[in-house]
Protein backbone atom coordinates (compact mmCIF):
# COMPACT_ATOMS: atom_id res chain seq x y z
CA UNK A 1 0.00 0.00 0.00
CA UNK A 2 0.99 3.62 -0.46
CA UNK A 3 -0.58 6.89 0.51
CA UNK A 4 -0.07 10.61 0.99
CA UNK A 5 1.97 9.92 4.16
CA UNK A 6 3.84 6.86 2.91
CA UNK A 7 7.23 6.68 4.64
CA UNK A 8 6.24 8.96 7.52
CA UNK A 9 6.78 7.39 10.93
CA UNK A 10 4.50 8.49 13.78
CA UNK A 11 4.86 7.69 17.49
CA UNK A 12 1.40 7.75 19.09
CA UNK A 13 1.55 8.31 22.87
CA UNK A 14 -2.08 9.45 23.12
CA UNK A 15 -4.69 8.28 25.57
CA UNK A 16 -8.25 7.65 24.26
CA UNK A 17 -9.04 11.32 23.63
CA UNK A 18 -6.28 11.61 21.01
CA UNK A 19 -6.06 8.20 19.38
CA UNK A 20 -8.19 9.25 16.41
CA UNK A 21 -5.34 11.52 15.24
CA UNK A 22 -3.05 8.56 14.65
CA UNK A 23 -5.87 6.59 13.09
CA UNK A 24 -6.42 9.32 10.50
CA UNK A 25 -2.70 9.46 9.70
CA UNK A 26 -2.31 5.67 9.54
CA UNK A 27 -4.92 5.33 6.85
CA UNK A 28 -3.15 7.99 4.81
CA UNK A 29 -0.11 5.71 4.71
CA UNK A 30 1.85 6.70 7.81
CA UNK A 31 3.67 4.07 9.85
CA UNK A 32 1.98 4.67 13.21
CA UNK A 33 3.43 3.01 16.31
CA UNK A 34 0.97 3.06 19.21
CA UNK A 35 2.97 3.07 22.42
CA UNK A 36 0.80 1.63 25.18
CA UNK A 37 1.49 0.47 28.75
CA UNK A 38 2.46 -3.20 29.21
CA UNK A 39 -0.90 -3.78 30.89
CA UNK A 40 -2.69 -2.36 27.87
CA UNK A 41 -4.06 1.03 26.87
CA UNK A 42 -7.11 2.39 28.70
CA UNK A 43 -9.01 2.35 25.41
CA UNK A 44 -8.97 -1.45 25.49
CA UNK A 45 -11.29 -1.30 28.51
CA UNK A 46 -13.88 0.93 26.86
CA UNK A 47 -17.01 -0.78 25.53
CA UNK A 48 -18.94 -1.87 23.68
CA UNK A 49 -17.25 -5.24 23.33
CA UNK A 50 -17.66 -7.89 20.66
CA UNK A 51 -20.64 -10.10 21.58
CA UNK A 52 -20.86 -8.14 24.87
CA UNK A 53 -17.89 -10.07 26.26
CA UNK A 54 -15.56 -7.59 28.04
CA UNK A 55 -11.94 -8.25 27.13
CA UNK A 56 -9.02 -5.98 26.15
CA UNK A 57 -8.84 -7.65 22.72
CA UNK A 58 -12.60 -7.32 22.07
CA UNK A 59 -13.16 -3.58 22.56
CA UNK A 60 -14.86 -2.12 19.50
CA UNK A 61 -13.68 1.29 20.69
CA UNK A 62 -10.05 0.14 20.61
CA UNK A 63 -10.54 -1.56 17.25
CA UNK A 64 -11.88 1.53 15.53
CA UNK A 65 -9.56 4.20 16.93
CA UNK A 66 -6.39 2.14 16.55
CA UNK A 67 -6.97 0.33 13.27
CA UNK A 68 -3.92 0.30 11.03
CA UNK A 69 -1.40 0.93 13.83
CA UNK A 70 1.37 -1.18 15.35
CA UNK A 71 1.44 -1.87 19.10
CA UNK A 72 4.59 -1.34 21.14
CA UNK A 73 3.81 -2.26 24.76
CA UNK A 74 6.30 -0.25 26.79
CA UNK A 75 6.33 1.56 30.14
CA UNK A 76 7.43 5.11 29.37
CA UNK A 77 7.50 5.98 33.09
CA UNK A 78 10.50 3.72 33.72
CA UNK A 79 13.86 5.28 32.72
CA UNK A 80 14.79 2.45 30.37
CA UNK A 81 11.37 2.63 28.71
CA UNK A 82 11.60 6.39 28.20
CA UNK A 83 15.11 5.93 26.76
CA UNK A 84 13.77 3.49 24.17
CA UNK A 85 11.12 6.00 23.12
CA UNK A 86 13.75 8.70 22.73
CA UNK A 87 15.75 6.39 20.47
CA UNK A 88 12.66 5.61 18.39
CA UNK A 89 11.86 9.31 18.09
CA UNK A 90 15.10 9.76 16.16
CA UNK A 91 13.49 7.93 13.22
CA UNK A 92 10.06 9.55 13.57
CA UNK A 93 8.75 12.62 11.80
CA UNK A 94 5.76 13.05 14.13
CA UNK A 95 5.10 12.43 17.82
CA UNK A 96 1.52 12.60 19.11
CA UNK A 97 0.71 12.93 22.83
CA UNK A 98 -2.20 13.88 25.07
CA UNK A 99 -0.71 13.96 28.57
CA UNK A 100 -1.35 16.65 31.16
CA UNK A 101 1.14 19.49 30.58
CA UNK A 102 4.37 18.86 32.49
CA UNK A 103 4.12 15.07 32.67
CA UNK A 104 6.54 14.28 29.83
CA UNK A 105 9.36 16.73 30.68
CA UNK A 106 10.83 14.75 33.62
CA UNK A 107 10.91 11.70 31.32
CA UNK A 108 12.84 13.54 28.61
CA UNK A 109 9.89 13.03 26.25
CA UNK A 110 8.69 16.62 25.94
CA UNK A 111 9.14 18.61 22.73
CA UNK A 112 12.26 20.45 23.92
CA UNK A 113 14.03 17.19 24.79
CA UNK A 114 13.02 15.27 21.66
CA UNK A 115 13.63 18.15 19.26
CA UNK A 116 17.08 19.04 20.58
CA UNK A 117 18.79 16.36 18.46
CA UNK A 118 15.97 16.26 15.91
CA UNK A 119 15.18 19.78 14.69
CA UNK A 120 12.72 18.65 12.03
CA UNK A 121 10.45 16.84 14.52
CA UNK A 122 6.75 17.73 14.56
CA UNK A 123 5.16 17.09 17.95
CA UNK A 124 1.43 17.52 18.49
CA UNK A 125 0.01 17.84 22.00
CA UNK A 126 -3.76 17.47 22.38
CA UNK A 127 -4.95 18.60 25.80
CA UNK A 128 -8.34 19.57 27.22
CA UNK A 129 -7.56 23.28 27.62
CA UNK A 130 -4.18 23.81 25.95
CA UNK A 131 -0.68 23.74 27.39
CA UNK A 132 -0.82 27.24 28.89
CA UNK A 133 -3.30 29.45 30.69
CA UNK A 134 -5.08 29.12 34.04
CA UNK A 135 -7.11 26.07 32.96
CA UNK A 136 -4.18 24.06 31.60
CA UNK A 137 -4.29 21.45 34.39
CA UNK A 138 -8.01 21.39 35.05
CA UNK A 139 -9.86 18.08 35.11
CA UNK A 140 -12.13 17.35 32.21
CA UNK A 141 -14.42 14.88 30.49
CA UNK A 142 -15.97 14.86 27.05
CA UNK A 143 -19.15 16.36 28.53
CA UNK A 144 -17.14 19.11 30.26
CA UNK A 145 -15.49 20.01 26.94
CA UNK A 146 -18.86 20.27 25.18
CA UNK A 147 -20.29 22.33 28.05
CA UNK A 148 -17.41 24.81 28.39
CA UNK A 149 -16.62 24.94 24.67
CA UNK A 150 -20.14 25.96 23.66
CA UNK A 151 -21.67 23.09 21.65
CA UNK A 152 -23.85 21.91 24.53
CA UNK A 153 -25.52 25.30 24.90
CA UNK A 154 -26.45 25.19 21.20
CA UNK A 155 -28.26 21.83 21.40
CA UNK A 156 -31.62 21.10 22.97
CA UNK A 157 -35.36 21.38 22.52
CA UNK A 158 -37.78 24.27 22.18
CA UNK A 159 -40.88 22.06 22.17
CA UNK A 160 -40.19 20.61 25.65
CA UNK A 161 -40.85 23.22 28.36
CA UNK A 162 -37.85 23.76 30.59
CA UNK A 163 -35.62 21.44 28.58
CA UNK A 164 -31.94 21.78 29.55
CA UNK A 165 -28.95 21.92 27.18
CA UNK A 166 -28.21 18.55 25.56
CA UNK A 167 -24.75 17.08 24.95
CA UNK A 168 -23.91 15.52 21.64
CA UNK A 169 -22.99 11.90 21.28
CA UNK A 170 -20.29 10.52 23.57
CA UNK A 171 -16.70 11.25 22.48
CA UNK A 172 -17.84 14.15 20.25
CA UNK A 173 -15.43 16.62 21.84
CA UNK A 174 -12.34 14.48 21.36
CA UNK A 175 -13.41 13.81 17.77
CA UNK A 176 -13.48 17.56 17.20
CA UNK A 177 -10.12 18.03 18.91
CA UNK A 178 -8.53 15.13 17.04
CA UNK A 179 -9.63 16.47 13.66
CA UNK A 180 -8.12 19.87 14.41
CA UNK A 181 -4.97 18.16 15.71
CA UNK A 182 -4.61 16.10 12.53
CA UNK A 183 -4.99 19.26 10.44
CA UNK A 184 -2.43 21.13 12.55
CA UNK A 185 -0.02 18.20 12.36
CA UNK A 186 -0.20 18.06 8.58
CA UNK A 187 0.27 21.83 8.29
CA UNK A 188 3.38 21.60 10.47
CA UNK A 189 4.66 18.69 8.38
CA UNK A 190 4.10 20.71 5.20
CA UNK A 191 6.03 23.63 6.68
CA UNK A 192 8.84 21.29 7.72
CA UNK A 193 9.08 19.79 4.23
CA UNK A 194 9.52 23.30 2.82
CA UNK A 195 11.90 24.70 5.43
CA UNK A 196 13.38 21.81 7.43
CA UNK A 197 11.97 23.38 10.58
CA UNK A 198 9.90 21.24 12.95
CA UNK A 199 7.56 22.66 15.54
CA UNK A 200 5.30 21.97 18.50
CA UNK A 201 1.56 21.95 17.73
CA UNK A 202 -0.51 22.86 20.80
CA UNK A 203 -4.18 21.83 20.34
CA UNK A 204 -6.88 22.62 22.90
CA UNK A 205 -10.05 20.50 22.74
CA UNK A 206 -11.84 23.40 24.44
CA UNK A 207 -10.85 25.85 21.70
CA UNK A 208 -11.53 23.33 18.94
CA UNK A 209 -15.08 22.90 20.27
CA UNK A 210 -15.54 26.68 20.37
CA UNK A 211 -14.76 26.77 16.63
CA UNK A 212 -17.81 24.61 15.89
CA UNK A 213 -20.64 26.67 17.39
CA UNK A 214 -21.56 28.39 14.13
CA UNK A 215 -23.01 31.85 14.75
CA UNK A 216 -23.22 31.50 18.53
CA UNK A 217 -19.99 33.30 19.32
CA UNK A 218 -20.42 36.15 16.78
CA UNK A 219 -23.90 36.87 18.13
CA UNK A 220 -22.56 36.92 21.68
CA UNK A 221 -19.43 38.97 20.92
CA UNK A 222 -20.82 41.43 18.39
CA UNK A 223 -24.44 41.83 19.46
CA UNK A 224 -24.49 40.63 23.05
CA UNK A 225 -27.35 38.26 22.24
CA UNK A 226 -27.89 34.78 23.60
CA UNK A 227 -29.26 32.01 21.40
CA UNK A 228 -32.41 29.93 21.63
CA UNK A 229 -32.02 26.17 21.41
CA UNK A 230 -34.25 24.68 18.73
CA UNK A 231 -35.35 21.09 18.27
CA UNK A 232 -33.58 19.50 15.31
CA UNK A 233 -32.39 22.78 13.82
CA UNK A 234 -29.83 25.53 14.28
CA UNK A 235 -29.84 27.59 17.44
CA UNK A 236 -30.58 31.24 16.76
CA UNK A 237 -31.09 34.60 18.42
CA UNK A 238 -34.83 34.47 17.68
CA UNK A 239 -37.35 31.64 17.80
CA UNK A 240 -37.88 29.96 14.43
CA UNK A 241 -40.52 27.68 13.00
CA UNK A 242 -39.96 23.93 13.48
CA UNK A 243 -38.36 21.76 10.79
CA UNK A 244 -39.26 18.27 12.05
CA UNK A 245 -42.69 16.83 11.32
CA UNK A 246 -44.26 13.38 11.88
CA UNK A 247 -45.23 11.33 8.84
CA UNK A 248 -48.16 9.01 8.15
CA UNK A 249 -46.08 5.97 9.14
CA UNK A 250 -44.92 7.44 12.47
CA UNK A 251 -41.50 8.67 11.45
CA UNK A 252 -39.95 12.13 11.33
CA UNK A 253 -39.03 14.29 8.34
CA UNK A 254 -36.70 17.29 8.42
CA UNK A 255 -37.99 20.03 6.13
CA UNK A 256 -34.77 21.99 6.42
CA UNK A 257 -34.75 23.83 3.12
CA UNK A 258 -37.25 25.03 0.59
CA UNK A 259 -36.40 24.67 -3.12
CA UNK A 260 -34.10 27.42 -4.33
CA UNK A 261 -35.70 27.86 -7.74
CA UNK A 262 -39.26 28.98 -8.38
CA UNK A 263 -39.73 26.12 -10.85
CA UNK A 264 -38.83 23.55 -8.18
CA UNK A 265 -41.20 25.21 -5.71
CA UNK A 266 -44.05 25.05 -8.20
CA UNK A 267 -43.24 21.37 -8.77
CA UNK A 268 -43.51 20.76 -5.02
CA UNK A 269 -46.81 22.60 -4.81
CA UNK A 270 -48.24 20.75 -7.81
CA UNK A 271 -47.18 17.43 -6.27
CA UNK A 272 -48.89 18.31 -2.99
CA UNK A 273 -51.90 19.59 -4.93
CA UNK A 274 -52.35 16.18 -6.53
CA UNK A 275 -53.30 14.95 -3.08
CA UNK A 276 -55.67 17.84 -2.38
CA UNK A 277 -53.52 19.24 0.44
CA UNK A 278 -52.11 22.37 -1.15
CA UNK A 279 -53.72 24.83 1.33
CA UNK A 280 -52.07 28.26 1.11
CA UNK A 281 -49.03 27.01 -0.81
CA UNK A 282 -50.20 28.62 -4.06
CA UNK A 283 -50.00 32.08 -2.49
CA UNK A 284 -48.21 34.32 -5.06
CA UNK A 285 -45.81 35.51 -2.35
CA UNK A 286 -44.43 31.98 -2.05
CA UNK A 287 -43.51 31.82 -5.74
CA UNK A 288 -40.58 34.19 -5.11
CA UNK A 289 -37.49 32.16 -4.08
CA UNK A 290 -35.88 35.12 -2.32
CA UNK A 291 -38.95 35.77 -0.22
CA UNK A 292 -39.31 32.09 0.63
CA UNK A 293 -35.82 32.09 2.09
CA UNK A 294 -35.56 35.53 3.66
CA UNK A 295 -38.52 37.81 3.15
CA UNK A 296 -41.65 35.98 4.36
CA UNK A 297 -43.62 37.48 7.19
CA UNK A 298 -43.79 35.34 10.30
CA UNK A 299 -47.46 34.61 9.62
CA UNK A 300 -46.81 33.57 6.01
CA UNK A 301 -43.97 31.28 7.13
CA UNK A 302 -46.19 29.77 9.81
CA UNK A 303 -48.99 29.09 7.32
CA UNK A 304 -46.62 27.62 4.74
CA UNK A 305 -45.08 25.21 7.26
CA UNK A 306 -48.50 24.30 8.69
CA UNK A 307 -49.67 23.28 5.21
CA UNK A 308 -46.48 21.31 4.63
CA UNK A 309 -46.95 19.63 8.03
CA UNK A 310 -50.45 18.47 7.03
CA UNK A 311 -49.09 17.03 3.81
CA UNK A 312 -46.26 15.24 5.64
CA UNK A 313 -48.69 13.83 8.22
CA UNK A 314 -50.73 12.24 5.41
CA UNK A 315 -47.73 10.80 3.52
CA UNK A 316 -45.24 7.98 4.29
CA UNK A 317 -41.73 9.16 5.24
CA UNK A 318 -39.83 7.74 2.28
CA UNK A 319 -42.36 9.20 -0.16
CA UNK A 320 -41.87 12.68 1.35
CA UNK A 321 -38.07 12.26 1.39
CA UNK A 322 -37.64 11.02 -2.17
CA UNK A 323 -40.43 13.19 -3.59
CA UNK A 324 -39.02 16.34 -2.06
CA UNK A 325 -35.44 15.58 -3.08
CA UNK A 326 -36.47 14.85 -6.67
CA UNK A 327 -38.01 18.32 -6.77
CA UNK A 328 -35.03 20.22 -5.36
CA UNK A 329 -36.01 20.32 -1.69
CA UNK A 330 -33.38 19.61 1.00
CA UNK A 331 -35.70 17.27 2.91
CA UNK A 332 -34.58 14.16 4.75
CA UNK A 333 -35.97 11.31 6.76
CA UNK A 334 -34.54 10.89 10.28
CA UNK A 335 -32.86 7.51 9.99
CA UNK A 336 -31.68 4.83 12.38
CA UNK A 337 -28.13 3.43 12.46
CA UNK A 338 -29.44 0.21 10.92
CA UNK A 339 -30.81 2.11 7.94
CA UNK A 340 -27.47 3.84 7.45
CA UNK A 341 -25.66 0.52 7.35
CA UNK A 342 -27.93 -0.60 4.51
CA UNK A 343 -27.86 2.70 2.61
CA UNK A 344 -27.26 1.89 -1.08
CA UNK A 345 -25.66 5.30 -1.66
CA UNK A 346 -22.89 4.61 0.85
CA UNK A 347 -22.53 1.07 -0.45
CA UNK A 348 -22.21 2.34 -4.02
CA UNK A 349 -19.40 4.67 -2.93
CA UNK A 350 -17.65 1.88 -1.04
CA UNK A 351 -17.81 3.69 2.28
CA UNK A 352 -18.02 0.64 4.52
CA UNK A 353 -15.03 -1.72 4.47
CA UNK A 354 -14.61 -5.25 5.76
CA UNK A 355 -11.52 -5.77 7.91
CA UNK A 356 -10.20 -9.26 8.44
CA UNK A 357 -9.72 -10.41 12.05
CA UNK A 358 -7.65 -13.56 11.71
CA UNK A 359 -7.98 -14.51 15.36
CA UNK A 360 -11.76 -14.55 15.02
CA UNK A 361 -11.85 -16.24 11.65
CA UNK A 362 -14.15 -13.51 10.34
CA UNK A 363 -14.22 -9.99 9.00
CA UNK A 364 -15.75 -6.99 10.75
CA UNK A 365 -17.42 -4.08 8.95
CA UNK A 366 -15.89 -0.67 9.71
CA UNK A 367 -16.79 2.87 8.63
CA UNK A 368 -14.42 3.76 5.82
CA UNK A 369 -12.80 6.79 4.25
CA UNK A 370 -13.71 10.22 5.64
CA UNK A 371 -12.45 11.64 2.32
CA UNK A 372 -11.44 10.27 -1.05
CA UNK A 373 -8.13 11.19 -2.67
CA UNK A 374 -7.72 10.29 -6.33
CA UNK A 375 -3.90 10.04 -6.42
CA UNK A 376 -3.04 8.94 -2.87
CA UNK A 377 -6.16 7.13 -1.67
CA UNK A 378 -7.16 6.64 1.94
CA UNK A 379 -7.02 2.93 2.69
CA UNK A 380 -8.01 0.78 5.63
CA UNK A 381 -4.65 -0.53 6.87
CA UNK A 382 -5.83 -3.59 8.73
CA UNK A 383 -7.23 -4.23 12.16
CA UNK A 384 -6.12 -2.70 15.45
CA UNK A 385 -3.11 -4.51 16.92
CA UNK A 386 -3.10 -6.99 19.77
CA UNK A 387 -1.36 -5.83 22.93
CA UNK A 388 2.39 -5.77 22.25
CA UNK A 389 1.95 -7.43 18.88
CA UNK A 390 4.89 -5.57 17.36
CA UNK A 391 7.06 -4.92 20.42
CA UNK A 392 9.80 -7.42 19.63
CA UNK A 393 9.86 -6.66 15.91
CA UNK A 394 10.20 -2.90 16.38
CA UNK A 395 12.85 -3.08 19.10
CA UNK A 396 14.99 -5.63 17.27
CA UNK A 397 14.59 -4.27 13.74
CA UNK A 398 14.78 -0.57 14.53
CA UNK A 399 16.89 -0.39 17.68
CA UNK A 400 18.97 -3.54 17.32
CA UNK A 401 18.01 -5.08 20.66
CA UNK A 402 18.89 -8.74 21.14
CA UNK A 403 16.70 -11.53 22.47
CA UNK A 404 18.43 -11.53 25.89
CA UNK A 405 17.88 -7.77 26.13
CA UNK A 406 14.19 -8.18 25.30
CA UNK A 407 13.89 -10.91 27.90
CA UNK A 408 15.47 -8.68 30.54
CA UNK A 409 13.17 -5.76 29.67
CA UNK A 410 10.12 -8.02 29.88
CA UNK A 411 11.26 -9.42 33.23
CA UNK A 412 11.58 -5.87 34.57
CA UNK A 413 8.05 -5.04 33.42
CA UNK A 414 9.28 -2.44 30.93
CA UNK A 415 7.89 -4.15 27.82
CA UNK A 416 5.25 -6.75 27.04
Amino acid sequence: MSGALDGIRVLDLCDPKGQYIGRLLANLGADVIKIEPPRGDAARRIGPFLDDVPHPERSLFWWYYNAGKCSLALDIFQPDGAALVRRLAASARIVLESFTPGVLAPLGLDYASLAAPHADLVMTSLTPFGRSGPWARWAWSDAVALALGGPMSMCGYDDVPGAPPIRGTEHQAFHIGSHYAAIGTLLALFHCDRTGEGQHVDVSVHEACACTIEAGMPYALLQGRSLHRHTGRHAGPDPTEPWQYPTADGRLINLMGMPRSDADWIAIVDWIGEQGLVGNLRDPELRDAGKRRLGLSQESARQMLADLARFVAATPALAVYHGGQSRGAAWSVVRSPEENLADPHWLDRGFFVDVEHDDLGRSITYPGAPYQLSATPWEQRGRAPHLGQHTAAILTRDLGLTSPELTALAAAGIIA
Side-chain angles (χ1 to χ4, degrees):
M1 293 183 178
S2 62
L5 300 181
D6 186 40
I8 300 294
R9 167 162 285 186
V10 179
L11 301 187
D12 182 353
L13 296 168
C14 291
D15 67 1
K17 68 177 171 289
Q19 290 174 8
Y20 192 43
I21 313 168
R23 210 273 196 184
L24 291 169
L25 303 184
N27 289 288
L28 288 173
D31 170 25
V32 180
I33 299 175
K34 177 71 187 81
I35 298 177
E36 56 177 318
R39 67 184 181 279
D41 191 272
R44 294 181 179 274
R45 297 184 286 278
I46 298 176
F49 298 92
L50 181 67
D51 300 326
D52 293 325
V53 178
H55 190 279
E57 299 293 359
R58 300 174 71 91
S59 164
L60 305 189
F61 183 98
W62 169 263
W63 286 3
Y64 180 71
Y65 291 106
N66 292 280
K69 302 179 186 179
C70 298
S71 169
L72 171 56
L74 181 151
D75 187 350
I76 68 169
F77 292 97
Q78 294 200 46
D80 288 344
L84 291 173
V85 176
R86 288 195 294 272
R87 290 175 61 187
L88 281 171
S91 63
R93 293 291 308 279
I94 297 168
V95 174
L96 308 173
E97 65 93 6
S98 56
F99 287 93
T100 300
V103 168
L104 292 180
L107 307 174
L109 298 178
D110 58 316
Y111 176 70
S113 300
L114 295 180
H118 189 5
D120 61 348
L121 180 71
V122 171
M123 186 167 185
T124 296
S125 297
L126 177 70
T127 56
F129 300 107
R131 294 181 50 78
S132 60
W135 293 6
R137 296 175 185 271
W138 279 20
W140 91 300
S141 69
D142 196 80
V144 166
L146 294 175
L148 290 177
M152 190 180 291
S153 71
M154 305 283 286
C155 300
Y157 306 100
D158 63 346
D159 53 355
V160 179
I166 303 297
R167 68 174 291 184
T169 184
E170 193 172 7
H171 315 309
Q172 182 182 23
F174 81 56
H175 260 248
I176 295 170
S178 291
H179 274 110
Y180 277 87
I183 293 168
T185 300
L186 294 176
L187 290 172
L189 188 66
F190 177 73
H191 172 78
C192 185
D193 285 344
R194 295 178 62 200
T195 67
E197 177 186 36
Q199 60 185 299
H200 194 185
V201 182
D202 177 359
V203 183
S204 158
V205 176
H206 175 244
E207 291 162 9
C209 286
C211 291
T212 68
I213 59 173
E214 299 177 325
M217 193 171 291
Y219 273 118
L221 292 176
L222 301 179
Q223 297 184 7
R225 304 180 69 186
S226 59
L227 273 66
H228 297 268
R229 292 184 290 275
H230 294 143
T231 302
R233 62 198 191 278
H234 302 299
D238 300 302
T240 60
E241 296 295 333
W243 289 350
Q244 287 184 356
Y245 298 92
T247 63
D249 49 356
R251 305 195 58 187
L252 286 173
I253 284 285
N254 257 28
L255 303 183
M256 179 179 176
M258 296 301 108
R260 291 191 174 274
S261 78
D262 294 334
D264 286 341
W265 171 255
I266 293 170
I268 288 279
V269 173
D270 289 345
W271 172 45
I272 296 173
E274 293 170 3
Q275 302 184 43
L277 295 168
V278 73
N280 297 299
L281 298 178
R282 295 196 191 279
D283 186 324
E285 183 181 20
L286 297 180
R287 288 178 177 263
D288 185 298
K291 286 187 176 181
R292 283 198 309 276
R293 290 198 299 275
L294 300 173
L296 288 181
S297 66
Q298 187 173 6
E299 179 59 22
S300 293
R302 187 193 65 78
Q303 289 182 359
M304 176 184 72
L305 291 171
D307 289 334
L308 289 171
R310 281 190 289 272
F311 163 69
V312 170
T315 311
L318 290 181
V320 178
Y321 169 39
H322 293 298
Q325 286 285 345
S326 67
R327 294 167 175 84
W331 296 354
S332 62
V333 65
V334 179
R335 300 198 305 185
S336 68
E338 292 77 13
E339 287 176 294
N340 277 324
L341 287 173
D343 183 346
H345 177 76
W346 283 5
L347 297 177
D348 286 345
R349 285 179 56 81
F351 176 70
F352 293 107
V353 294
D354 290 330
V355 178
E356 190 67 31
H357 284 243
D358 294 336
D359 56 325
L360 301 174
R362 59 186 281 197
S363 62
I364 305 294
T365 300
Y366 284 60
Y371 27 70
Q372 295 190 10
L373 305 176
S374 62
T376 54
W378 185 102
E379 295 179 80
Q380 181 67 47
R381 309 265 161 165
R383 59 156 296 162
H386 297 296
L387 175 60
Q389 181 177 345
H390 306 93
T391 300
I394 292 170
L395 295 181
T396 55
R397 179 194 64 210
D398 297 354
L399 299 186
L401 269 63
T402 64
S403 292
E405 288 174 316
L406 294 178
T407 300
L409 289 169
I414 296 172
I415 65 171

